[in-house]
């Protein structure tokens, strides 16, 4: 598990995950405007995962400053 021992790689992976979840969130929201269908589970799940990744990024930046 060398991947988790390298904080820079984990940080870049978290940023990629954040981008992916934000893209999925935008796709779910745009689906409502295009097809008049809304997927509450998809929107809630993607929003929660994006917030979770943001919290992890902030925690890492605080640890890095100290």
């Amino acid at each position: 598990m060398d991947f988790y021992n390298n904080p820079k790689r984990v940080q870049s992976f978290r940023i990629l995950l954040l981008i992916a979840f934000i893209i999925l969130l935008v796709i779910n929201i745009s689906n409502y405007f295009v097809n008049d269908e809304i997927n509450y589970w998809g929107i809630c799940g993607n929003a929660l995962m994006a917030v979770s990744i943001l919290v992890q990024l902030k925690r890492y930046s605080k640890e890095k400053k100290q």
Side-chain angles (χ1 to χ4, degrees):
M1 290 290 177
D2 287 336
F3 182 77
Y4 293 107
N5 291 335
N6 189 346
K8 286 187 178 183
R9 286 188 180 176
V10 174
Q11 187 70 3
S12 62
F13 182 66
R14 286 178 182 157
I15 292 171
L16 288 175
L17 282 177
L18 177 64
I19 292 168
F21 286 123
I22 290 175
I23 289 171
L24 288 173
L25 183 64
V26 169
I27 288 171
N28 278 328
I29 292 173
S30 65
N31 189 30
Y32 172 69
F33 295 112
V34 174
N35 298 330
D36 290 329
E37 295 177 6
I38 192 159
N39 183 359
Y40 292 110
W41 289 109
I43 291 173
C44 291
N46 289 324
L48 286 174
M49 289 302 292
V51 169
S52 171
I53 297 292
L54 278 174
V55 168
Q56 290 177 3
L57 289 171
K58 285 183 181 180
R59 187 181 331 149
Y60 176 76
S61 65
K62 283 183 182 178
E63 290 175 3
K64 190 175 178 180
K65 288 180 183 178
Q66 291 179 355

